[in-house]
Amino acid sequence: MSTTFTLPTEEAQTPQDKLAEFRAIVRLKAGYLASLLYSLVPYFVENYGTMGVTSGLVHIIDPKWVMQFNEFEGAYLYMHEM
C-alpha cells in the first residue's frame, strides 16, 4: 500500500500550522523518530527568541521566531531538538 504525502498549498498562517508542517515532514522523512516526535509537548512562549526542549519533553517555542522558517528548515530544526 502506497501513501502519497503533499504539503498544503497555502502558506501556514499560525505558529501551530507551521509546527504541524514541520512535524509532518519529520514523520515522513524520519518515521523512526515518530514516538519521540509525538511525545514532545509544544508550549509557546512569546519573546523566547528560539525553541528548545526540556528534560520533561516540553518543546518551548517562540511563536514569532518559528514563523520565519519554511517547512523544510523547520523540520530540520525540529529534528535537531529531538
Side-chain angles (χ1 to χ4, degrees):
M1 181 174 167
S2 177
T3 305
T4 303
F5 174 81
T6 58
L7 288 171
T9 55
E10 296 180 18
E11 188 171 336
Q13 299 296 314
T14 67
Q16 292 82 358
D17 290 344
K18 279 281 193 183
L19 206 56
E21 287 181 348
F22 302 165
R23 291 169 71 135
I25 291 171
V26 171
R27 175 66 177 95
L28 177 68
K29 297 294 185 181
Y32 54 90
L33 293 173
S35 63
L36 178 56
L37 174 69
Y38 294 115
S39 295
L40 295 175
V41 178
Y43 184 72
F44 292 96
V45 177
E46 294 286 335
N47 301 314
Y48 186 60
T50 188
M51 66 179 173
V53 177
T54 69
S55 60
L57 297 179
V58 175
H59 188 202
I60 303 167
I61 307 154
D62 182 329
K64 290 179 185 168
W65 181 82
V66 81
M67 292 301 290
Q68 70 183 321
F69 300 103
N70 71 39
E71 60 273 10
F72 298 103
E73 293 167 333
Y76 174 81
L77 291 169
Y78 218 104
M79 290 178 71
H80 168 77
E81 293 303 326
M82 288 189 280

